[in-house]
Amino acid sequence: MVEKVELLKENKIPAILLAGGKSSRFGKDKSRLKLTNKSLTYHQYKKLKKLFKKVYISSKKDKFDFKANIIYDKQKEYLPIFSLINLIKKFHTIFIIPVDVPLLSKNSIKKLLKNKAITSNSPFIGIYTYKDLKKLKTNIKNKNYSPRCGKKTLKIDDTELINLNYKKEYIENIYKIKKDVV
């Protein structure tokens, strides 16, 4: 049975795929990892397109194997909180997810949207609004680069939030990831 995915056409919130990191721990650019014959970014982008009317990729350059809406991250720093702030300034309300978290389910994304929340165990996933800017800027001023800012959080199963920081994590989860994208 094929899962019926409801397109959130009425949802004006854009989804932003964060793909501008250095991937220094991984050793090569994770956004370009091949799954089947397409990149990890391609599969993440297509998953989000099933749920959101507008999907963008935040990146320092266009390095992708497909045509996509790219928002160029012009920050010198490779800290996602700076990108988050600029994206909130541009769109006011956004859903963000890093490219290297490929197992987050469509149902979990819908729960985050419905509850206007971020994940409690991975704060760079979820909804952020213009109201969060002041706290995010205070965090930076205090040299705290976490996006936690007193937002509502939801606990999402850790198996959905596997972050591909190291090649070991990719190798251990490649079958789950490929199964999820096919």
Side-chain angles (χ1 to χ4, degrees), residues 7 15-18 41-56 95-97 104 106 109:
L7 181 63
I16 315 285
L17 191 56
L18 298 174
T41 305
Y42 172 84
H43 291 291
Q44 288 282 71
Y45 189 84
K46 290 300 180 187
K47 181 191 322 186
L48 293 172
K49 285 295 279 181
K50 292 177 183 175
L51 297 169
F52 293 88
K53 194 172 185 178
K54 294 187 180 182
V55 178
Y56 300 90
F95 178 86
I96 64 164
I97 180 171
L104 184 66
K106 293 170 192 137
I109 292 171

Side-chain angles (χ1 to χ4, degrees), residues 88 127-136 149 151:
I88 293 169
I127 301 274
Y128 283 89
T129 69
Y130 208 77
K131 292 177 187 176
D132 301 318
L133 277 179
K134 185 176 180 181
K135 178 64 175 155
L136 292 168
C149 53
K151 295 192 64 57

Side-chain angles (χ1 to χ4, degrees), residues 63-126:
K63 54 187 175 178
F64 307 105
D65 58 350
F66 63 101
K67 187 170 173 62
N69 297 316
I70 299 172
I71 297 172
Y72 293 97
D73 178 3
K74 296 178 181 165
Q75 291 291 136
K76 291 178 188 175
E77 298 87 354
Y78 281 87
L79 292 168
I81 193 167
F82 291 109
S83 299
L84 175 60
I85 287 170
N86 289 331
L87 292 164
I88 293 169
K89 285 178 182 177
K90 180 175 180 67
F91 294 106
H92 294 263
T93 302
I94 59 171
F95 178 86
I96 64 164
I97 180 171
V99 71
D100 59 357
V101 183
L103 296 174
L104 184 66
S105 72
K106 293 170 192 137
N107 284 335
S108 291
I109 292 171
K110 288 178 185 179
K111 285 180 193 172
L112 290 165
L113 289 168
K114 181 180 177 187
N115 289 283
K116 296 182 178 146
I118 61 173
T119 61
S120 59
N121 31 356
S122 186
F124 276 105
I125 301 171

